Amino acid sequence: MPVSKASRLFHPRRRDMLAYLGVSIAGLAYASPLRAQTFQATLQARMGDGQRFDPAIVVDIARQLAKKPFVAPPNDLPDAFSSLNYEQYIGIKSLQQPIWLQEGRGIAVEPLHRGFVFTNTVDIFLVEDGAVRRIGYDPSKFDFGKINVPAGLQDIGYSGFRLLATSGDGPPFDFAIVQGATFFRAVARGQNFGAIARALTLKPADPKGEEFPSFRAFWLERPAIGSNSLTAHGIVDSESAAAALRMTFRPGDMTIVDVEMTLFPRANLDHVGIGGIGSTYFYGANDRRNADDFRPAVYESTGLQILNGKGEWLWRPLQNPDTLQISAFVDESPRGFGLIQRDRSFETFQDDEARFERRPSLWIEPLGDWSQGSVQLLEIPTDAEINDNILTYWRPKAPMAAGTEVPFAYRQYWCWTPPERPPLATVASTRVGRGSAGRRRRFAVEFSGETLGETLPADLKSVLTVSPGSFQNLKVWPYPERKAVRVVFDLDPGNENACEMRLILEAGGKQISETWLYRWTP
């Protein structure tokens, strides 16, 4: 497949870099190079160059790692790269062709340079015909522009990798990035990168500070010709836990990533996040407090969708609050959850560069029984769109004891529309503004769906609950010509500073819409 031999290294957007910056330096106690060599020696001894690959050994490396005191990655990056600014880092260009590009395997790999906030080394090994081969670093394979690279630069390793889809009718496209902490992201064909996944989330919003695990090593299995999938085995390490990962990537019009993780706690854990997703919500029709902008809206995800263990579809619009908001949706054996971008019109955002309407939805489908817990939603105040201020994840109810082994598996759908959708009317928009008097706020929630068309049920009604607080002036406006119903009401919070609301449409004594949930705060 024709492609230029000089390939640009993946360049994250500036806002991504600033988001990473907060986790790259948080709480790191740097290890000595001598201590770090122990980890490298373990990799080489157990499954390094020339050895036969065995996925069970990856799990055992993580198991043994968790039995030892945590040693943070060394601060061994030369100053020429650790002191880079954003513009200098994105100016680094790869001169080598992505691995496997010309072999017709459907997927190619490009290792990512260390530098700027991506300072930690991630050892990357290839698995070809069952044998392991480490990807060595060679400075002659990069164009550094005006960066003053030290003479005699040794093998400094890489910070992660990107994956290119090379099959199908169109040209090759970047479909996945694995880089920074335990962050990774993917897109479907035709999309722009947006929401970001976390392989492991520990203690978010903890008063003592969040803990950020890191990728330490990956073994990438060479795809079979025609398979259009790649399996990556990884090691995660952190102060409180280590983990082994198996991730299978399948790009396309809907990119699917299967994630299997075995978690090995070093310490007793009572706040673990599985299937974590980060995104940005700056302002929109329901929250324009920070909007002095020509664009009508700025967000990567419209809302949080949940299909709970009882089969109820929940929709929670996202907000940019004035104070940190933490919501917990208690559940047992959840069937799915995700941050969804429902707004696919350019007119919604009017942003010629960011193209938020092209950002992926990310739907998480648990594999196996996840038992009791809750879908957690963190909404963090921000005054700039460069910040990922939304985080959601599954929080198991049962604590995890040190020395145990805890498996989890789930499937990610990076998509335009999730594969499983409510068989009900869905929320098309949520609009909020000044109410009729005092502290009242007026809400206009619009539902849409086939059931709301010309044969609109005669006994259609809305069912709204508010706690605490009350509501007035509730009206239901049907628009059968566009298969929509709008519910308008005034929230009266009284003296309260937080009100929870729940709204559904009913007909014939049955619920005909998904459940709209909302938390109002001043």
Coordinates of all heavy atoms in Angstrom, one line a residue, residues 446-502:
E446 N -36.0 17.4 25.7 CA -36.6 16.9 24.5 C -36.3 15.4 24.3 O -35.1 15.0 24.3 CB -36.2 17.7 23.3 CG -37.0 17.3 22.0 CD -37.0 18.4 20.9 OE1 -37.2 19.5 21.2 OE2 -36.6 18.0 19.8
F447 N -37.3 14.6 24.1 CA -37.2 13.2 23.8 C -37.5 13.0 22.3 O -38.4 13.7 21.7 CB -38.1 12.3 24.6 CG -37.9 12.4 26.1 CD1 -38.5 13.3 26.9 CD2 -37.1 11.4 26.6 CE1 -38.2 13.4 28.2 CE2 -36.9 11.4 28.0 CZ -37.4 12.4 28.8
S448 N -36.9 12.0 21.6 CA -37.2 11.7 20.3 C -37.2 10.2 20.1 O -36.5 9.5 20.8 CB -36.2 12.4 19.3 OG -34.9 11.8 19.5
G449 N -38.0 9.8 19.1 CA -38.1 8.4 18.8 C -39.3 8.1 17.9 O -40.2 8.9 17.8
E450 N -39.3 6.9 17.3 CA -40.4 6.5 16.4 C -41.7 6.5 17.1 O -42.7 6.8 16.5 CB -40.1 5.1 15.8 CG -38.9 5.0 14.9 CD -39.0 5.9 13.7 OE1 -40.2 6.0 13.2 OE2 -38.1 6.6 13.3
T451 N -41.7 6.1 18.4 CA -43.0 6.1 19.1 C -43.7 7.4 19.3 O -44.8 7.5 19.7 CB -42.8 5.4 20.5 OG1 -41.9 6.2 21.2 CG2 -42.4 4.0 20.4
L452 N -42.9 8.5 19.0 CA -43.4 9.9 19.2 C -43.8 10.5 17.9 O -43.9 11.7 17.8 CB -42.3 10.7 19.9 CG -41.8 10.1 21.3 CD1 -40.8 11.1 21.9 CD2 -42.9 9.9 22.3
G453 N -44.1 9.7 16.9 CA -44.4 10.2 15.6 C -45.9 10.5 15.5 O -46.6 10.8 16.4
E454 N -46.5 10.2 14.3 CA -47.9 10.6 14.0 C -48.8 9.8 14.9 O -50.0 10.2 15.1 CB -48.2 10.3 12.5 CG -47.3 11.1 11.5 CD -47.7 12.6 11.7 OE1 -48.8 12.9 12.1 OE2 -46.8 13.4 11.3
T455 N -48.5 8.6 15.3 CA -49.4 7.8 16.2 C -49.0 8.0 17.7 O -49.0 7.1 18.4 CB -49.2 6.3 15.8 OG1 -47.8 5.9 16.0 CG2 -49.6 6.0 14.4
L456 N -48.8 9.2 18.0 CA -48.5 9.6 19.4 C -49.6 9.1 20.3 O -50.8 9.4 20.1 CB -48.3 11.1 19.5 CG -47.7 11.6 20.8 CD1 -46.2 11.2 20.9 CD2 -47.8 13.1 20.9
P457 N -49.2 8.3 21.4 CA -50.3 7.8 22.3 C -51.1 8.9 22.9 O -50.6 10.0 23.3 CB -49.4 7.1 23.4 CG -48.1 6.8 22.7 CD -47.9 7.9 21.8
A458 N -52.4 8.7 23.0 CA -53.3 9.7 23.5 C -53.1 9.9 25.0 O -53.3 11.0 25.6 CB -54.7 9.3 23.3
D459 N -52.6 8.9 25.7 CA -52.5 9.0 27.2 C -51.0 9.3 27.6 O -50.6 9.0 28.7 CB -53.0 7.7 27.9 CG -52.2 6.5 27.4 OD1 -51.5 6.6 26.4 OD2 -52.4 5.4 28.1
L460 N -50.3 9.8 26.7 CA -48.9 10.2 26.9 C -48.8 11.2 28.1 O -49.5 12.1 28.2 CB -48.2 10.8 25.7 CG -46.8 11.3 25.9 CD1 -45.8 10.2 26.0 CD2 -46.4 12.3 24.8
K461 N -47.9 10.9 29.0 CA -47.7 11.8 30.1 C -46.2 11.8 30.5 O -45.5 10.8 30.3 CB -48.6 11.5 31.3 CG -48.3 10.2 32.0 CD -49.2 10.0 33.2 CE -48.8 8.7 34.0 NZ -49.7 8.6 35.2
S462 N -45.8 12.8 31.2 CA -44.4 12.9 31.8 C -44.5 12.6 33.3 O -45.5 13.0 33.9 CB -43.8 14.2 31.5 OG -44.4 15.3 32.1
V463 N -43.5 11.9 33.8 CA -43.4 11.7 35.2 C -42.1 12.2 35.7 O -41.0 11.8 35.4 CB -43.5 10.2 35.5 CG1 -43.4 9.9 37.0 CG2 -44.8 9.5 34.9
L464 N -42.2 13.3 36.5 CA -41.0 14.0 37.0 C -41.0 14.0 38.5 O -42.0 14.2 39.2 CB -41.1 15.5 36.6 CG -40.0 16.4 37.1 CD1 -38.6 16.1 36.7 CD2 -40.4 17.9 36.7
T465 N -39.8 13.7 39.1 CA -39.6 13.7 40.5 C -38.4 14.6 40.8 O -37.4 14.6 40.0 CB -39.4 12.3 41.2 OG1 -38.3 11.7 40.5 CG2 -40.6 11.5 41.0
V466 N -38.5 15.4 41.9 CA -37.4 16.3 42.3 C -37.2 16.1 43.8 O -38.1 16.1 44.6 CB -37.8 17.8 42.0 CG1 -36.7 18.7 42.5 CG2 -38.0 18.0 40.5
S467 N -35.9 15.9 44.2 CA -35.6 15.7 45.6 C -34.2 16.2 45.9 O -33.2 15.7 45.3 CB -35.8 14.3 46.0 OG -35.4 14.1 47.4
P468 N -34.0 17.2 46.8 CA -35.1 18.0 47.4 C -35.5 19.1 46.5 O -35.1 19.1 45.3 CB -34.4 18.6 48.7 CG -32.9 18.7 48.2 CD -32.7 17.5 47.3
G469 N -36.4 20.0 46.9 CA -36.9 21.0 46.0 C -38.2 20.6 45.4 O -38.8 19.6 45.8
S470 N -38.7 21.4 44.5 CA -40.0 21.1 43.9 C -40.0 21.7 42.4 O -39.0 22.3 42.0 CB -41.1 21.8 44.7 OG -40.9 23.2 44.7
F471 N -41.1 21.4 41.7 CA -41.2 21.9 40.4 C -42.6 22.6 40.1 O -43.5 22.2 40.8 CB -40.9 20.8 39.3 CG -41.9 19.7 39.3 CD1 -43.0 19.8 38.5 CD2 -41.7 18.6 40.1 CE1 -44.0 18.7 38.5 CE2 -42.6 17.5 40.1 CZ -43.8 17.6 39.3
Q472 N -42.6 23.5 39.2 CA -43.8 24.2 38.8 C -43.9 24.3 37.3 O -42.9 24.1 36.6 CB -43.9 25.6 39.4 CG -44.2 25.6 40.9 CD -42.9 25.5 41.7 OE1 -41.8 25.9 41.2 NE2 -43.0 25.0 42.9
N473 N -45.1 24.6 36.8 CA -45.3 24.9 35.4 C -44.9 23.8 34.4 O -44.3 24.1 33.4 CB -44.6 26.2 35.0 CG -45.0 27.4 36.0 OD1 -46.1 27.5 36.4 ND2 -44.0 28.2 36.3
L474 N -45.1 22.6 34.8 CA -44.7 21.5 33.9 C -45.7 21.4 32.7 O -46.9 21.4 32.9 CB -44.8 20.2 34.6 CG -44.2 18.9 33.9 CD1 -43.5 18.0 34.8 CD2 -45.3 18.2 33.1
K475 N -45.1 21.4 31.5 CA -45.9 21.3 30.3 C -45.3 20.3 29.3 O -44.0 20.1 29.3 CB -46.0 22.7 29.6 CG -46.7 23.7 30.4 CD -46.8 25.0 29.6 CE -47.5 26.1 30.5 NZ -47.6 27.4 29.8
V476 N -46.1 19.6 28.6 CA -45.6 18.6 27.6 C -46.0 19.1 26.2 O -47.2 19.3 26.0 CB -46.2 17.2 27.9 CG1 -45.8 16.2 26.8 CG2 -45.8 16.7 29.3
W477 N -45.1 19.3 25.4 CA -45.3 19.8 24.0 C -44.9 18.7 23.0 O -43.8 18.4 22.8 CB -44.4 21.0 23.7 CG -44.7 22.2 24.7 CD1 -44.0 22.4 25.8 CD2 -45.6 23.2 24.6 NE1 -44.5 23.6 26.5 CE2 -45.5 24.1 25.7 CE3 -46.6 23.5 23.6 CZ2 -46.3 25.2 25.9 CZ3 -47.4 24.6 23.8 CH2 -47.3 25.4 24.9
P478 N -45.9 18.1 22.3 CA -45.7 17.1 21.3 C -45.3 17.7 20.0 O -45.9 18.8 19.6 CB -47.0 16.3 21.3 CG -48.0 17.3 21.7 CD -47.4 18.2 22.6
Y479 N -44.4 17.2 19.3 CA -44.0 17.6 17.9 C -44.0 16.3 17.0 O -42.9 15.9 16.7 CB -42.7 18.3 17.9 CG -42.7 19.6 18.7 CD1 -42.4 19.7 20.0 CD2 -43.2 20.8 18.0 CE1 -42.4 20.9 20.7 CE2 -43.3 22.0 18.7 CZ -42.9 22.0 20.1 OH -42.9 23.2 20.8
P480 N -45.1 15.8 16.7 CA -45.1 14.5 15.9 C -44.5 14.6 14.6 O -44.0 13.6 14.0 CB -46.6 14.2 15.8 CG -47.3 15.5 16.0 CD -46.5 16.2 17.0
E481 N -44.5 15.8 14.0 CA -43.8 16.0 12.6 C -42.3 15.7 12.7 O -41.7 15.3 11.7 CB -44.1 17.4 12.1 CG -43.4 18.5 12.8 CD -44.1 19.0 14.1 OE1 -45.1 18.3 14.4 OE2 -43.7 20.0 14.6
R482 N -41.7 15.9 13.8 CA -40.3 15.5 13.9 C -40.1 14.4 15.0 O -38.9 14.3 15.5 CB -39.4 16.7 14.2 CG -39.8 17.6 15.4 CD -39.0 18.9 15.4 NE -39.4 19.8 16.4 CZ -39.0 19.9 17.6 NH1 -38.0 19.0 18.0 NH2 -39.4 20.8 18.5
K483 N -41.1 13.7 15.3 CA -41.1 12.6 16.2 C -40.4 12.9 17.5 O -39.5 12.3 18.0 CB -40.3 11.4 15.5 CG -41.0 10.9 14.3 CD -40.2 9.8 13.6 CE -40.8 9.4 12.3 NZ -40.0 8.4 11.6
A484 N -40.9 14.0 18.1 CA -40.3 14.5 19.4 C -41.4 15.0 20.3 O -42.5 15.3 19.9 CB -39.4 15.6 19.0
V485 N -41.0 14.9 21.6 CA -41.8 15.5 22.7 C -40.9 16.3 23.6 O -39.8 15.8 24.0 CB -42.5 14.4 23.5 CG1 -43.1 15.0 24.8 CG2 -43.6 13.8 22.7
R486 N -41.3 17.5 23.9 CA -40.5 18.4 24.8 C -41.3 18.6 26.1 O -42.5 18.9 26.1 CB -40.3 19.8 24.1 CG -39.4 20.7 25.0 CD -39.1 22.0 24.3 NE -38.2 21.8 23.2 CZ -37.5 22.8 22.6 NH1 -37.8 24.1 23.0 NH2 -36.7 22.6 21.7
V487 N -40.5 18.4 27.2 CA -41.1 18.6 28.5 C -40.4 19.8 29.1 O -39.2 19.9 29.2 CB -40.8 17.3 29.4 CG1 -41.4 17.6 30.8 CG2 -41.4 16.1 28.8
V488 N -41.2 20.8 29.5 CA -40.7 22.0 30.0 C -41.2 22.2 31.5 O -42.4 21.9 31.7 CB -41.2 23.2 29.2 CG1 -40.6 24.5 29.8 CG2 -40.7 23.1 27.7
F489 N -40.4 22.6 32.4 CA -40.8 22.8 33.8 C -39.8 23.8 34.4 O -38.7 24.0 34.0 CB -40.8 21.5 34.5 CG -39.5 20.8 34.7 CD1 -38.7 21.0 35.8 CD2 -39.1 19.9 33.7 CE1 -37.5 20.4 35.9 CE2 -37.9 19.2 33.8 CZ -37.1 19.5 34.9
D490 N -40.2 24.3 35.5 CA -39.4 25.2 36.4 C -39.0 24.4 37.6 O -39.8 23.9 38.3 CB -40.1 26.4 36.8 CG -40.1 27.5 35.8 OD1 -39.6 27.3 34.7 OD2 -40.6 28.7 36.1
L491 N -37.7 24.3 37.9 CA -37.2 23.8 39.1 C -37.1 24.9 40.1 O -36.6 26.0 39.9 CB -35.8 23.2 38.9 CG -35.0 22.9 40.2 CD1 -35.6 21.7 40.9 CD2 -33.5 22.6 39.9
D492 N -37.7 24.6 41.3 CA -37.6 25.6 42.4 C -36.8 24.9 43.5 O -37.3 24.0 44.3 CB -39.0 25.9 42.9 CG -39.0 27.0 44.0 OD1 -37.9 27.4 44.5 OD2 -40.1 27.6 44.3
P493 N -35.5 25.3 43.7 CA -34.7 24.6 44.7 C -34.9 25.1 46.1 O -34.4 24.5 47.0 CB -33.3 24.9 44.2 CG -33.4 26.3 43.5 CD -34.8 26.2 42.9
G494 N -35.7 26.2 46.2 CA -35.9 26.7 47.6 C -34.5 27.2 48.1 O -33.8 27.9 47.4
N495 N -34.2 26.8 49.3 CA -32.9 27.1 49.9 C -31.8 26.0 49.6 O -30.7 26.1 50.2 CB -33.0 27.4 51.4 CG -33.9 28.6 51.6 OD1 -33.8 29.6 50.9 ND2 -34.7 28.5 52.7
E496 N -32.1 25.0 48.9 CA -31.2 23.9 48.6 C -30.1 24.3 47.6 O -30.3 25.1 46.8 CB -32.0 22.7 48.1 CG -33.1 22.2 49.0 CD -32.6 21.6 50.3 OE1 -31.4 21.2 50.4 OE2 -33.4 21.5 51.3
N497 N -29.0 23.6 47.8 CA -27.9 23.8 46.8 C -27.6 22.6 45.9 O -26.6 22.6 45.2 CB -26.6 24.2 47.6 CG -26.7 25.6 48.2 OD1 -27.2 26.5 47.5 ND2 -26.3 25.8 49.4
A498 N -28.4 21.6 46.0 CA -28.3 20.5 45.1 C -29.7 19.8 45.0 O -30.3 19.6 46.0 CB -27.3 19.5 45.6
C499 N -30.1 19.6 43.8 CA -31.4 18.9 43.6 C -31.2 17.8 42.6 O -30.7 18.0 41.5 CB -32.5 19.9 43.1 SG -32.8 21.3 44.2
E500 N -31.7 16.6 42.9 CA -31.7 15.5 42.0 C -33.1 15.4 41.3 O -34.1 15.4 41.9 CB -31.4 14.2 42.7 CG -30.0 14.2 43.4 CD -28.9 14.0 42.5 OE1 -29.1 13.8 41.3 OE2 -27.7 14.1 43.0
M501 N -33.0 15.2 40.0 CA -34.3 15.1 39.2 C -34.3 13.8 38.4 O -33.2 13.3 37.9 CB -34.4 16.3 38.3 CG -34.7 17.6 39.0 SD -34.5 19.0 37.9 CE -32.8 19.3 37.9
R502 N -35.5 13.3 38.2 CA -35.7 12.1 37.4 C -36.9 12.3 36.5 O -38.0 12.7 37.0 CB -35.9 10.9 38.3 CG -36.1 9.5 37.5 CD -36.2 8.4 38.5 NE -36.3 7.1 37.9 CZ -37.3 6.5 37.4 NH1 -38.5 7.2 37.5 NH2 -37.3 5.3 36.9

